Amino acid sequence: MRLPSYNYLVGLEVCLTIGEYHLSGRNLSVTLLQKEIARSPGAVRRIVQSMARDGWVRIERQPDDRRGRLIKPTAKLTESFDQFLG
């Protein structure tokens, strides 16, 4: 299984950043992801929405801020990371 990139470098950056945060046990919000990879909010949002639609991530509400959203990798993505990091 390959890591999703959606044929864009920003897609791969999004995927790798989600993995980095997951492996370190830190929460990653959509807003923080946009700052981390220094890409346009619209581009990041589209990639994250595509990843959620395709089952790579779940988008959950932040417990302390109803407006904020957390990005959580699914088993599909974590298994791909395991294979990628081999």
Side-chain angles (χ1 to χ4, degrees):
M1 189 178 306
R2 296 177 6 175
L3 293 175
S5 67
Y6 296 94
N7 296 319
Y8 297 100
L9 181 57
V10 66
L12 187 56
E13 287 180 287
V14 166
C15 184
L16 293 175
T17 303
I18 291 169
E20 175 188 347
Y21 271 74
H22 172 71
L23 292 173
S24 68
R26 297 178 290 164
N27 284 328
L28 179 63
S29 69
V30 174
T31 303
L32 182 56
L33 176 61
Q34 292 167 348
K35 291 176 184 175
E36 282 283 325
I37 65 170
R39 300 291 181 153
S40 75
V44 172
R45 190 172 25 258
R46 281 189 297 278
I47 295 292
V48 170
Q49 288 171 344
S50 294
M51 290 179 75
R53 180 196 66 223
D54 296 340
W56 294 99
V57 297
R58 290 184 326 275
I59 302 172
E60 301 176 356
R61 288 188 179 197
Q62 287 185 348
D64 56 340
D65 181 358
R66 297 181 328 145
R67 297 169 298 160
R69 300 288 184 263
L70 295 175
I71 304 165
K72 302 286 186 173
T74 62
K76 180 178 178 179
L77 185 57
T78 57
E79 289 168 9
S80 291
F81 279 129
D82 290 343
Q83 290 176 3
F84 180 74
L85 296 173

